[in-house]
Amino acid sequence: MAERLIVVGGDAAGMAAAAQARRRRGPDDLEIVAFERGHYTSYSACGIPYWISGLVGDAQQLVARDPATHREKYDIDVRLRHEVTEIDLDRREVVARDLEGGGEIREGFDTLMYATGAVPTKPDWARTDALGVFGVQTLDDGAALRKWLESDPKPQRAVVVGGGYIGVEMAEALVRRGLSVTLVERDEQPMSTVDPDMATLVTEAMRGLGVDIRTGVRVGALTVRDGRVSEVVTDDGPIPADVVVLGLGVRPNTALAEAAGMPLGPTGGIRVDRRMRVAETPGVWAAGDCVETLHRVSGMPVHVPLGTHANKQGRVAGINIGGGYATFAGVIGTAVAKVCDLEVGRTGLRERDALAAGFEFVSVIAESTNRAGYYPGARPMTVKLIAERPSGRLLGAQIVGWTEAAKRIDTLAVALWNRMTVDDMTALDLGYAPPYAPVWDPVLVAARKAVDALDPR
């Protein structure tokens, strides 16, 4: 009799694990059943803002593999619109609710892959049935928002609450749809994933696009008229709104795991080992935004919800479930974002992270250009490096620039991953041609400046 693998969650981590397990074990050896409560599998949640803006024309363009492909190519029994409501590790079974047909089913398993992702942070004031209030976590969320934006009467005024990646990307998307947009952030800066001096550049660019940014402002309530949101009530006064988008971050979706007795770590994510096995829970694996992982620089457990990690972790889990051997080496927090025409990249530790981890460090900011100064289209680029004192080991980096900035962070991420010092980096043999870089690339300029800052003379 074939063993049975149950996958809870049909997006990046879950379906990557299922596909990898199938490549190593045929259907006569391993039966795979995947439960997904939404309407889609294996899609790009990161692409939702671009679909909302109209840059991407159709939701299907964001789907990498639909359920039919999983069934036909990988012989995976995908059950859409089925929400797992209980996991019984003693009886080795899950309980799932059919969200459209009604009723419950029970399915046994030999191996369980837990890949439920993350859920949006939602304060009490946002827990409302009012029309016009949206999170943007899943493709179904994006579809609901698109439908609202195209409804009659069409919304004219948008308030985005929260200035992280999703918040700033959604603010831009809504501006491009012609709405008047206000972004409310309780901290003193949007984009808290970079240091304040770099976030200032992002704020200026967003204001240049026409976004009304209000920082240091807290939301306390929503005003509802005729069942629809009409304004956002803040400690700085009310803000009219026909649509409210929540960008307050996410937390690991671990309610089912915790109820089943799986161990959680200090970040709230599931504790897993390097092979993505759930700690102290035989036969159970987990990956993606629901788990915590090791930060390779700080050495601390972190929760960094990114699709890149989810796909890699799911692949590792699937290889191991299929009888192979693979490990996940951890993360360094590399991420990029597009804000208007501005590109923002970061990797490793921010200043406050380095302080919290107990490092002594120097930080430098270098101003350069993306191309040779005389070449048409040359524009400013700002690079920030954080280096350990006295070793000079790179601890973190941030880049803000108009073009060719986002992918330069990858050079710094590779240096960081391999524990290079800023002195090592000054000798990097980087590509040069006037259309692509100055003769001294911005990365090298910043590395030289960091070496000078570390010089005790």
Side-chain angles (χ1 to χ4, degrees):
M1 182 180 294
E3 292 183 17
R4 172 176 278 193
L5 166 65
I6 294 288
V7 179
V8 184
D11 197 9
M15 300 316 291
Q20 287 296 323
R22 172 59 74 228
R23 288 189 176 103
R24 287 159 177 78
R25 300 178 66 179
D28 293 336
D29 184 41
L30 181 67
E31 178 187 0
I32 305 176
V33 180
F35 290 103
E36 168 55 45
R37 66 182 178 184
H39 291 86
Y40 306 91
T41 58
S42 301
Y43 58 87
S44 171
C46 299
I48 293 172
Y50 309 109
W51 179 41
I52 297 299
S53 72
L55 187 63
V56 174
D58 189 278
Q60 290 300 324
Q61 293 177 257
L62 302 181
V63 178
R65 289 196 184 103
D66 60 19
T69 302
H70 286 298
R71 294 186 186 105
E72 294 164 9
K73 185 174 181 178
Y74 298 101
D75 201 0
I76 297 170
D77 180 3
V78 179
R79 304 186 189 180
L80 293 180
R81 303 295 289 149
H82 279 72
E83 181 179 14
V84 174
T85 58
E86 182 183 348
I87 298 170
D88 190 325
L89 295 178
D90 294 328
R91 298 180 63 175
R92 311 299 281 183
E93 69 177 17
V94 300
V95 179
R97 182 170 64 243
D98 186 338
L99 298 177
E100 293 188 353
E104 285 187 344
I105 60 171
R106 291 179 177 267
E107 295 283 1
F109 63 84
D110 299 291
T111 303
L112 181 72
M113 179 68 209
Y114 191 95
T116 54
V119 291
T121 300
K122 189 176 270 192
D124 290 340
W125 59 261
R127 301 178 189 279
T128 175
D129 294 328
L131 300 175
V133 181
F134 300 91
V136 190
Q137 181 68 16
T138 66
L139 203 47
D140 287 296
D141 295 336
L145 175 55
R146 280 267 305 208
K147 184 177 180 180
W148 180 257
L149 293 173
E150 294 165 0
S151 65
D152 189 26
K154 285 192 175 182
Q156 302 296 318
R157 304 163 301 179
V159 175
V160 177
V161 184
Y165 290 122
I166 288 295
V168 297
E169 290 171 352
M170 285 305 306
E172 178 184 357
L174 293 167
V175 166
R176 296 198 182 280
R177 287 190 69 100
L179 281 75
S180 171
V181 180
T182 301
L183 186 145
V184 179
E185 170 57 55
R186 69 178 181 181
D187 292 334
E188 294 306 316
Q189 65 172 69
M191 290 291 285
S192 62
T193 52
V194 297
D195 287 322
D197 44 14
M198 301 294 277
T200 298
L201 303 174
V202 179
T203 302
E204 292 171 354
M206 293 186 69
R207 286 185 170 137
L209 187 68
V211 179
D212 177 11
I213 298 180
R214 305 190 188 184
T215 57
V217 173
R218 292 180 176 271
V219 174
L222 300 175
T223 301
V224 179
R225 292 192 179 94
D226 299 324
R228 302 165 64 102
V229 65
S230 63
E231 64 182 15
V232 176
V233 181
T234 78
D235 57 6
D236 192 42
I239 306 171
D242 306 311
V243 58
V244 174
V245 176
L246 305 176
L248 294 165
V250 297
R251 56 182 174 79
N253 186 2
T254 56
L256 276 175
E258 188 173 17
M262 299 182 207
L264 306 185
T267 70
I270 299 169
R271 284 199 294 115
V272 293
D273 65 14
R274 287 166 55 89
R275 298 185 68 195
M276 307 313 297
R277 295 177 295 197
V278 176
E280 306 159 9
T281 315
V284 181
W285 309 72
D289 293 354
C290 59
V291 307
E292 68 177 23
T293 189
L294 175 73
H295 196 291
R296 288 171 59 93
V297 181
S298 71
M300 303 295 290
V302 291
H303 178 243
V304 183
L306 288 174
T308 52
H309 303 156
N311 277 284
K312 292 172 190 173
Q313 291 171 350
R315 181 177 184 275
V316 166
I319 289 171
N320 290 312
I321 292 170
Y325 185 87
T327 60
F328 184 73
V331 302
I332 55 176
T334 307
V336 295
K338 173 183 173 293
V339 184
C340 317
D341 291 327
L342 200 67
E343 299 178 7
V344 183
R346 56 96 63 208
T347 189
L349 306 181
R350 300 163 294 184
E351 288 184 355
R352 58 184 176 276
D353 301 325
L355 284 169
F359 287 105
E360 293 186 19
F361 61 90
V362 298
S363 61
V364 298
I365 290 180
E367 303 288 348
S368 186
T369 55
N370 60 328
R371 304 170 186 172
Y374 55 81
Y375 192 87
R379 302 199 68 179
M381 183 179 297
T382 304
V383 181
K384 180 172 185 174
L385 299 186
I386 300 170
E388 183 182 24
R389 186 194 294 276
S391 71
R393 173 193 171 195
L394 183 65
L395 298 177
Q398 299 160 34
I399 301 181
V400 177
W402 293 101
T403 55
E404 290 97 36
K407 294 309 289 181
R408 268 188 172 89
I409 202 69
D410 288 344
T411 301
L412 292 161
V414 171
L416 188 66
W417 187 272
N418 289 285
R419 300 178 65 88
M420 292 180 70
T421 68
V422 288
D423 192 38
D424 294 333
M425 291 167 55
T426 62
L428 286 173
D429 188 2
L430 304 182
Y432 161 67
Y436 304 109
V439 67
W440 283 99
D441 189 272
V443 168
L444 302 180
V445 173
R448 289 171 55 191
K449 192 168 183 178
V451 169
D452 291 343
L454 287 162
D455 192 335
R457 289 175 296 176

